[in-house]
Amino acid sequence: MGILSWIVFGLIAGIIAKWIMPGKDPGGFIVTTLIGIAGAVVGGWLGSITGLGGSVSGFSLGSFVTAIVGALVLLALYRMIKKN
């Protein structure tokens, strides 16, 4: 999948992660979207290394879930860091 596809995929994953985990985030929508993009990339990378999650070579339900989980993890870490 190309970088532009991962950005769009991450944007959607970030929006869904924000919907699953609502709350006030420091930085607002733009930062949350960037965290979603980073989460999709990190989630896809970790999923391909560990063999868990979907294939990251294209759009599939497994890769979508992997991207959302990655976005949720990064969003939670971001909230924990910014809370202190």
Side-chain angles (χ1 to χ4, degrees):
M1 207 170 7
I3 189 71
L4 186 58
S5 299
W6 270 112
I7 290 172
V8 171
F9 203 52
L11 173 68
I12 295 167
I15 290 169
I16 290 175
K18 177 70 175 165
W19 179 70
I20 291 171
M21 198 167 164
K24 189 164 175 104
D25 292 319
F29 181 75
I30 300 296
V31 173
T32 303
T33 302
L34 293 174
I35 288 172
I37 294 168
V41 173
V42 170
W45 178 71
L46 288 174
S48 66
I49 286 178
T50 61
L52 301 173
S55 167
V56 292
S57 61
F59 290 110
S60 69
L61 182 61
S63 61
F64 192 58
V65 169
T66 302
I68 292 171
V69 169
L72 284 169
V73 168
L74 284 185
L75 184 58
L77 286 172
Y78 178 69
R79 285 182 181 179
M80 286 176 21
I81 290 169
K82 284 298 186 178
K83 199 174 209 180
N84 295 332

